[in-house]
Amino acid sequence: FQGEAGAYSEDAAAKFFKEKGETTFVPCDSFVKAFDALQKGEVENVVVPIENAFFGTLHVVYDLLIKSSSVNIIGEIVTTDEFCLLAPVGVGISDIEQIFSHPQVLEQCSEFIFNELALPQSATQALYDTAGSCKYIVDQSLKNAAAIASRRACELYNFQVLKASVGNDPTISTRYLVLARGAIAPSIHDSVKVSIVFTLKNSPGSCMKALAVFSFRDINILKIENRPSARSGGLASQRPWEMMYYLDFEGNTLNAKVHNALKNLEEFATDIRVLGCYPQKQVYDPVSSVLGTE
């Protein structure tokens, strides 16, 4: 996973693999290094965030998926990450002069920071990782400093929870992908989804024709997103500003209906890649601590 020990990605990985027995979690300081470790066989799986209900898609993950042809999506998990105000033992809320966290987390906790704590903008310090913020406070021996991070990070760095659930909206969730070398073949009876990426010729009606191969077969599209193909560096088509489409849809590649839809799509697409066929998302309920399938 990307981040320091105690990062929310590690939390998601622990929830996903909790039924798999003893698991070792390996922190990486960048998404690039996490993908590299997977492709080199140094780890069996990588867990990465792909989209957040507030900030949207993490495009860097999609880009790395396309460049990494041996990497496939084998699962996903959706979690509601609890943002906690953490500080070293002995530091109280009234002592706080600086708050460290990932920039997106600071934004998602802005009402608490600026309204409840009444701190100025200059008091917020953005770092590369939430758990890394705890580590930074310890490494720098900072006084009167706090971090916004997970309960897992609190335990690892021997901090205290000054206040839990400090996010602007406690219902905001993040979807994480579970990656592996090589694909899996889910049972035809499982609740399964497929993720693909494809490029189209820049011609009238090309997008409508591509999507029609799914609607014609009553295949439900769950997500569609496009961006310039030159960003990927991994597909055959590299003409500047030719659009690349990411598509998630319900179905199984073992199903004849899905197989035929993908074959039909080849008539319109200049390039197609199946990123993964995998079980529908597991949703983690932090209150009951139970995993379920949505």
Side-chain angles (χ1 to χ4, degrees), residues 157-171:
Y157 296 98
N158 296 314
F159 276 31
Q160 58 180 329
V161 177
L162 296 180
K163 186 166 185 178
S165 301
V166 298
N168 299 346
D169 183 348
T171 67

Side-chain angles (χ1 to χ4, degrees), residues 1-138:
F1 65 93
Q2 182 274 330
E4 296 287 349
Y8 285 104
S9 290
E10 184 184 22
D11 220 18
K15 291 163 185 172
F16 185 88
F17 290 106
K18 72 174 186 176
E19 306 296 336
K20 304 291 193 295
E22 187 174 348
T23 305
T24 300
F25 301 104
V26 182
C28 300
D29 60 17
S30 69
F31 289 119
V32 172
K33 289 185 178 179
F35 272 75
D36 189 53
L38 180 59
Q39 292 182 93
K40 289 179 177 178
E42 296 172 357
V43 296
E44 293 183 14
N45 300 98
V46 165
V47 176
V48 289
I50 188 62
E51 63 180 336
N52 175 270
F54 183 79
F55 283 99
T57 300
L58 277 78
H59 293 291
V60 63
V61 174
Y62 270 135
D63 290 343
L64 287 168
L65 269 171
I66 295 172
K67 292 176 182 178
S68 309
S69 59
S70 63
V71 173
N72 287 265
I73 305 169
I74 64 161
E76 63 178 358
I77 180 171
V78 175
T79 70
T80 302
D81 299 324
E82 183 187 26
F83 300 133
C84 298
L85 181 69
L86 312 178
V89 175
V91 177
I93 287 185
S94 61
D95 300 322
I96 297 172
E97 297 176 359
Q98 288 182 301
I99 294 183
F100 295 83
S101 196
H102 188 280
Q104 291 186 352
V105 172
L106 290 172
E107 187 168 344
Q108 289 184 72
C109 300
S110 58
E111 293 176 11
F112 170 75
I113 295 170
F114 302 128
N115 296 340
E116 187 166 335
L117 295 183
L119 290 173
Q121 179 74 43
S122 58
T124 59
Q125 303 293 325
L127 292 180
Y128 67 99
D129 180 50
T130 53
S133 299
C134 296
K135 184 175 185 297
Y136 182 80
I137 290 172
V138 172

Side-chain angles (χ1 to χ4, degrees), residues 198-215 221 224-227 243-247 265 267-270:
F198 60 93
T199 53
L200 295 172
K201 296 176 182 178
N202 186 11
S203 61
S206 61
C207 184
M208 183 193 70
K209 293 173 184 176
L211 296 181
V213 309
F214 300 99
S215 61
I221 294 175
I224 182 170
E225 188 167 348
N226 72 326
R227 58 198 310 240
M243 299 312 293
M244 179 172 58
Y245 295 83
Y246 298 103
L247 201 71
L265 182 59
E267 299 175 21
F268 310 106
T270 55

Side-chain angles (χ1 to χ4, degrees), residues 63 66-67 229-235 238:
D63 290 343
I66 295 172
K67 292 176 182 178
S229 64
R231 294 279 301 178
S232 73
L235 292 178
Q238 289 297 293

